């Protein structure tokens, strides 16, 4: 009874597409595995490194079987040595490899912050573009079942703060595959942040190799009244909220951010200029978060500023670490109903 | 895995240790065992809504080490911390209440099973970040040195944590400053599903202490007397200003990394390995030695489980009758006033 399994299975997974029997489908988990496998098949510089990547469980199934196909030379179980191994991966990247470093939890990334922030992020710039670090780092955000403060964090904001890093957060199987392929072929360090509760979500998943560009958000629902910018797990909830609100006559435009950095501010601004109302739903803390950056960038633009009919609203986590008790988890986390109230408030106040 | 196939207790050792201590070592191990087995029994109800990392099979280490500690000695441990906490003196009531997410839990329901604390017993918390607790024990040791309070600090960590750079940084500092710290590495040969030999080049944890000029001892972690004796030495050395020691105690976790089930069906470890280690049960073998050696009477031994079952029942009913935190509690405790 792995705890994440219970929590994930209890969740009603929202799919953001209508089911078309002619389209190949797959899960978010499959998407990550397929992207990794395809990249390893096409480019021998790609290899996988991380704690338990060769394990029977295969990092919740996302590296499962790779060891049998590619062997221990390219699917490398790592000692528990996050900072050192990040540096090792970076060194391999400097030597022309394309390492995929995998962490079970986003919470373990702070241990490697030195190599990520002081080294990988800066190497190109600090040396006048003479070196590149094509390193992809995967990490998973957990939620629920008392995961508590050290096993549930969403740390996109701290990584997005460092110039030189790219940060992506796919919310659908399609994007999970396309963004991982783009990340692995990017010549820069990319943090690829997943959400554990998306793993069983299914959706269109083409068999071929395709890329989803880093830096492009996705307008997934058009509407004229309110813009909802959603990140990762919040995307499904935003779509659910938009559906409900549509029945009440409020037309939401939903944007799946997909990439945190570089942020697709053009799409955000043009949508807000159309709707005049902005709601941001993030999986992370509100204070000093990505949602703050989005609001700031919206306000810094004259046309967007002029278009705003009322205050923007953020649906993001309160300024406390994650509590364990399920009764507190319920207060701590947000669901579609919180997005609905935020949208209604945005409409009432403008 | 180079551990002897039998758990043998030498008659001299058993004679040298006071009977009261032997009985307490046994009782502590059994309390830990039955506490963990209670979790195994109740977890499928899904009312204990948090991950549980059980230490069944490893009880001798917590019991043997903590029997040498005083109430105000410090202890820091890790995600697999129930046994450490029980051996150091936390009550089962506040543990169960914590696991059931209640406001009477040791962390008021904020931490869950990976985050237990009882400062009144010197338990300063457990980190679920592997290796996270190690330097803290060095810090409490530093405080004891500065305050000359004669306290000893103990940190429990796994063979996985021995991979982490923070171990070396911490052990070096403790040895450099001759701090009163006992480092206890519970080597159960796995970090989740990953074998020690796939992560460590030499697998000689105890020997590494030598590089830092400190003593390292490798003991059979399923033999509570061996653990007790090694910890006795290490604690005395620390308390007398002789600096840190590293105790590597070899053992085996019977259950999966997390949760109440065995894991050999999943293919990570073999059933043979589990059977081998179950024969080396720290609790059963010690009980046998006490019984057959005529050290403790059968009646005394037979009465122990019942007392523990009563303790468990009381602890559970305390937990289940306790209230859940109020929603406002979410915002409390962020800062101390
Ligand atoms: C820094 C860090 N890396 C990885 C993990 C995931 N993780 C949790 S427990 C664990 C295994 C730890 O093994 P060990 O230290 O030997 O303790 P054991 O579980 O065997 O008692 C791992 C890898 C973590 N919690 N923290
Ligand atoms: Mg271990």
């Amino acid at each position: 009874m792995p705890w994440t399994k219970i929590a994930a299975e209890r969740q009603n997974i929202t799919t953001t597409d209508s089911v078309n029997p002619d389209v190949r489908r797959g899960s978010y988990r499959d998407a990550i595995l397929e992207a990794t496998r395809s990249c390893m098949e096409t480019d021998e510089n790609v290899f996988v490194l991380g704690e338990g990547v060769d394990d029977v469980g295969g990092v919740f199934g996302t590296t499962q079987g790779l060891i049998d196909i590619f062997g221990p030379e390219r699917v490398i179980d790592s000692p528990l040595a996050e900072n050192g191994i990040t540096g090792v991966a970076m060194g391999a990247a400097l030597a022309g490899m394309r390492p995929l470093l995998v962490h079970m939890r986003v919470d373990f990334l702070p241990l490697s912050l030195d190599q990520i922030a002081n080294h990988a992020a800066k190497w190109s710039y600090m040396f006048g573009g003479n070196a590149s670090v094509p390193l992809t780092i995967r990490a998973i955000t957990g939620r629920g079942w008392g995961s508590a403060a050290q096993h549930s964090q969403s740390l996109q904001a701290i990584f997005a703060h460092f110039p030189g890093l790219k940060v992506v957060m796919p919310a659908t199987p399609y994007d999970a595959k396309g963004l991982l392929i783009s990340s692995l072929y990017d010549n820069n360090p990319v943090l690829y942040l997943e959400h554990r509760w998306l793993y069983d979500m299914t959706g269109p998943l083409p068999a071929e190799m395709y890329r989803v560009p880093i830096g492009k958000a996705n307008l997934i629902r058009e509407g004229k009244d309110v813009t909802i910018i959603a990140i990762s797990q919040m995307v499904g909830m935003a779509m659910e909220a938009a559906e409900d609100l549509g029945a009440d006559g409020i037309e939401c435009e939903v944007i799946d951010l997909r990439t945190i950095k570089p942020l697709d501010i053009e799409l955000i601004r043009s949508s807000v200029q159309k709707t005049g109302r902005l709601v941001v739903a993030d999986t992370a803390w509100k204070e000093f978060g990505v949602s703050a950056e989005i609001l700031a960038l919206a306000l810094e633009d004259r046309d967007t500023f002029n278009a705003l009919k009322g205050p923007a609203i953020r649906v993001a986590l309160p300024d406390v670490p994650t509590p364990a008790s399920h009764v507190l988890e319920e207060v701590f986390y947000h669901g579609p109903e919180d997005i609905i109230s935020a949208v209604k408030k945005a409409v009432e106040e403008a | 895995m180079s551990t002897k196939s039998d758990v043998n207790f030498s008659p001299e050792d058993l004679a040298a240790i006071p009977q009261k201590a032997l009985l307490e070592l046994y009782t502590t191990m059994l309390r830990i065992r039955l506490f963990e087995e209670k979790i195994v029994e109740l977890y499928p109800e899904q009312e204990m809504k948090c991950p549980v990392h059980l230490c069944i099979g490893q009880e001798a280490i917590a019991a043997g080490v903590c029997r040498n500690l005083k109430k105000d000695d410090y202890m820091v441990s890790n995600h697999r911390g129930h046994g450490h906490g029980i051996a150091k003196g936390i009550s089962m009531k506040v543990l169960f209440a914590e696991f059931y997410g209640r406001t009477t839990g040791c962390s008021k329901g904020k931490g869950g099973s990976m985050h237990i604390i009882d400062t009144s017993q010197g338990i300063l918390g457990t980190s679920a970040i592997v290796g996270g607790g190690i330097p803290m024990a060095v810090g409490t040791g530093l405080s004891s040195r500065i305050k000359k309070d004669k306290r000893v600090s103990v940190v429990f960590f796994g063979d996985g944590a021995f991979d982490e750079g923070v171990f070396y940084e911490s052990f070096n500092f403790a040895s450099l400053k001759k701090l009163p710290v006992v480092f206890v590495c519970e080597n159960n040969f796995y970090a989740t599903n990953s074998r020690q030999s796939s992560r460590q080049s030499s697998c000689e944890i105890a020997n590494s202490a030598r590089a830092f000029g400190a003593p390292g001892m490798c003991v059979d972690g399923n033999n509570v007397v061996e653990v007790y004796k090694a910890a006795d030495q290490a604690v005395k050395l620390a308390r007398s200003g002789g600096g840190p020691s590293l105790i590597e105690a070899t053992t085996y976790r019977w259950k999966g990394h997390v949760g109440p089930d065995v894991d050999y069906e999943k293919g990570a470890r073999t059933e043979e390995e589990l059977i081998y280690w179950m024969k080396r049960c720290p609790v059963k073998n010690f009980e046998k030695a006490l019984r057959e050696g005529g050290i403790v009477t059968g009646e005394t031994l037979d009465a122990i489980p019942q007392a523990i079952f009563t303790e468990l029942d009381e602890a559970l009913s305390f937990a289940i009758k306790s209230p859940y935190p109020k929603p406002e509690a979410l915002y409390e405790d962020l800062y101390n006033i």
Side-chain angles (χ1 to χ4, degrees):
Chain A
M1 217 172 311
W3 83 83
T4 41
K5 188 157 172 271
I6 297 176
E9 281 173 358
R10 281 190 178 172
Q11 169 72 343
N12 292 327
I13 311 284
T14 325
T15 38
T16 52
D17 64 299
S18 47
V19 180
N20 174 347
D22 299 333
V23 175
R24 180 181 184 264
R25 296 176 68 84
S27 70
Y28 191 89
R29 170 191 287 107
D30 299 337
I32 294 169
L33 182 58
E34 275 184 25
T36 310
R37 183 179 167 162
S38 303
C39 289
M40 290 181 82
E41 279 165 350
T42 22
D43 186 342
E44 59 190 24
N45 290 314
V46 177
F47 70 98
V48 180
L49 176 63
E51 294 162 20
V53 292
D54 63 346
D55 179 305
V56 281
V59 190
F60 306 123
T62 58
T63 61
Q64 209 155 37
L66 293 177
I67 181 76
D68 304 323
I69 306 168
F70 301 105
E73 288 279 302
R74 293 179 70 198
V75 181
I76 308 172
D77 184 23
S78 159
L80 312 192
E82 291 76 9
N83 195 44
I85 293 300
T86 305
V88 169
M90 172 173 163
L94 282 173
M97 305 291 287
R98 296 189 171 274
L100 173 59
L101 179 60
V102 184
H103 291 276
M104 293 278 261
R105 305 269 171 195
V106 169
D107 311 70
F108 310 152
L109 285 174
L111 280 82
S112 35
L113 203 52
D114 171 58
Q115 284 295 331
I116 297 174
N118 291 333
H119 297 88
K122 299 185 170 46
W123 225 248
S124 173
Y125 188 85
M126 197 161 72
F127 295 103
N130 280 301
S132 81
V133 183
L135 165 64
T136 302
I137 304 178
R138 284 182 49 203
I140 307 160
T141 288
R143 172 173 170 170
W145 198 255
S147 299
Q150 295 179 326
H151 277 69
S152 60
Q153 296 172 89
S154 271
L155 299 177
Q156 53 269 29
I158 61 171
F159 295 104
H161 194 59
F162 294 109
L165 294 179
K166 298 184 181 181
V167 183
V168 300
M169 294 185 80
T172 61
Y174 184 89
D175 288 343
K177 181 167 176 179
L179 277 171
L180 186 51
I181 293 170
S182 293
S183 302
L184 283 166
Y185 286 114
D186 200 287
N187 286 330
N188 300 283
V190 182
L191 274 126
Y192 178 100
L193 304 176
E194 302 151 35
H195 198 289
R196 179 70 182 87
W197 282 24
L198 295 174
Y199 270 43
D200 292 325
M201 174 205 227
T202 55
L205 184 63
E208 66 271 17
M209 263 181 110
Y210 61 93
R211 298 189 192 190
V212 168
I214 295 176
K216 286 272 168 267
N218 195 12
L219 200 159
I220 51 176
R221 183 186 170 111
E222 283 189 295
K224 61 177 178 31
D225 298 324
V226 182
T227 298
I228 308 175
I229 314 288
I231 295 172
S232 184
Q233 197 210 5
M234 305 308 284
V235 172
M237 297 185 199
M239 288 301 276
E240 218 176 288
E243 200 62 41
D244 273 30
L245 287 157
D248 286 352
I250 302 175
E251 299 291 320
C252 295
E253 179 140 303
V254 181
I255 293 175
D256 172 355
L257 199 57
R258 299 199 290 195
T259 297
I260 306 298
K261 187 172 193 164
L263 198 62
D264 187 358
I265 194 58
E266 293 313 316
L267 184 65
I268 296 170
R269 282 176 178 159
S270 69
S271 174
V272 176
Q273 284 167 25
K274 180 169 100 182
T275 64
R277 297 184 187 94
L278 174 60
V279 168
V280 184
D282 191 3
T283 53
W285 292 297
K286 186 195 278 190
E287 297 200 15
F288 301 91
V290 174
S291 63
E293 184 65 22
I294 292 172
L295 264 54
L297 286 167
L299 288 181
E300 280 173 350
D301 177 61
R302 164 67 61 189
D303 293 339
T304 314
F305 177 80
N306 285 344
L308 275 172
K309 298 173 185 156
I313 299 179
R314 293 184 278 162
V315 178
L317 299 178
D319 187 35
V320 291
T322 314
S325 179
H326 67 283
V327 295
L328 295 180
E329 282 180 342
E330 271 163 36
V331 195
F332 180 71
Y333 284 114
H334 296 297
E337 62 289 352
D338 299 292
I339 301 176
I340 292 174
S341 336
V343 167
K344 284 186 172 161
K345 190 161 172 243
V347 172
E348 279 159 20
E349 292 188 356
Chain B
M1 280 178 217
S2 61
T3 312
K4 325 181 264 288
S5 60
D6 292 329
V7 186
N8 288 318
F9 300 90
S10 87
E12 300 83 62
D13 281 346
L14 293 174
I17 301 171
Q19 195 216 33
K20 180 167 176 278
L22 292 171
L23 197 58
E24 280 176 21
L25 288 170
Y26 173 70
T27 309
T28 303
M29 281 198 291
L30 193 61
R31 285 178 68 231
I32 299 170
R33 171 66 56 89
L34 296 179
F35 180 84
E36 299 286 65
E37 284 182 345
K38 195 50 130 178
I39 297 175
V40 174
E41 178 193 326
L42 297 175
Y43 203 67
E45 293 177 355
Q46 303 205 6
E47 288 303 317
M48 230 181 276
K49 299 184 201 311
C50 61
V52 287
H53 299 78
L54 304 179
C55 68
I56 297 181
Q58 310 189 171
E59 298 89 344
I61 305 170
V65 169
C66 292
R67 184 60 183 67
N68 290 287
L69 300 179
K70 299 181 178 166
K71 184 172 165 181
D72 65 357
D73 284 337
Y74 292 119
M75 186 194 90
V76 183
S77 108
N78 61 5
H79 57 286
R80 201 174 304 287
H82 308 168
H84 309 139
I86 290 173
K88 186 70 178 71
I90 196 170
S91 93
M92 292 183 182
K93 286 187 179 167
V94 298
L95 287 181
F96 275 136
E98 186 60 34
F99 303 177
Y100 279 96
R102 310 298 162 128
T103 184
T104 52
C106 60
S107 305
K108 298 188 201 159
K110 297 229 165 90
S113 134
M114 293 191 284
H115 301 294
I116 67 184
I117 190 161
D118 184 348
T119 54
S120 74
Q121 300 292 331
I123 303 168
L124 297 185
T126 61
S127 176
I129 299 297
V130 171
I134 299 174
M136 292 178 208
V138 178
T140 54
L142 178 64
S143 154
S144 292
R145 250 287 290 288
I146 295 170
K147 293 204 243 172
K148 301 191 172 51
D149 63 12
K150 291 279 170 198
R151 291 185 191 190
V152 169
S153 296
V154 170
V155 57
F156 290 99
F157 57 98
D159 52 297
F162 184 78
D163 296 2
E164 295 278 2
V166 71
F167 167 78
Y168 303 88
E169 299 174 18
S170 308
F171 197 74
N172 176 54
F173 187 79
S175 190
L176 178 71
K177 303 291 178 190
K178 289 269 175 290
L179 301 178
V181 187
V182 180
F183 293 75
V184 184
C185 181
E186 299 182 304
N187 184 3
N188 60 13
F189 303 101
Y190 287 88
T192 59
N193 290 338
S194 179
R195 282 173 179 278
Q196 183 191 15
S197 56
S198 74
R199 294 174 285 110
Q200 294 174 14
S201 53
S202 87
C203 296
E204 294 192 33
I205 291 176
N207 281 344
S208 69
R210 228 188 303 157
F212 298 93
M217 298 169 263
C218 184
V219 299
D220 178 357
N222 283 30
N223 182 324
V224 74
V225 173
E226 269 197 38
V227 176
Y228 173 77
K229 282 172 57 187
D232 175 49
Q233 264 187 45
V235 169
K236 281 185 179 141
L237 186 72
R239 217 181 294 283
S240 62
S245 308
L246 172 60
I247 299 174
E248 173 190 3
T250 53
T251 186
Y252 196 76
R253 120 176 100 65
W254 291 8
K255 298 292 180 181
H257 170 69
V258 61
D261 303 322
V262 292
D263 62 356
Y264 59 81
E265 291 112 343
K266 295 182 195 133
R269 308 188 299 170
T270 64
E271 189 177 8
E272 292 74 55
E273 205 171 76
L274 175 63
I275 291 169
Y276 170 84
W277 281 92
M278 286 180 76
K279 283 201 190 111
R280 305 191 79 260
C281 174
V283 187
K284 287 255 163 56
N285 282 295
F286 189 53
E287 184 194 336
K288 190 160 161 262
L290 292 180
R291 229 180 251 277
E292 291 177 0
I295 295 159
V296 182
T297 67
E299 279 158 24
T300 311
L301 286 170
D302 292 342
I304 297 172
Q306 195 47 55
I308 301 172
F309 288 130
T310 309
E311 181 186 10
L312 284 166
D313 286 346
E314 285 171 9
L316 272 168
S317 74
F318 169 83
I320 288 161
K321 283 182 193 145
S322 292
Y324 284 115
K326 296 222 162 60
E328 311 84 85
L330 179 68
Y331 306 97
E332 294 164 3
D333 307 313
L334 184 60
Y335 299 104
N336 257 265
I337 338 148

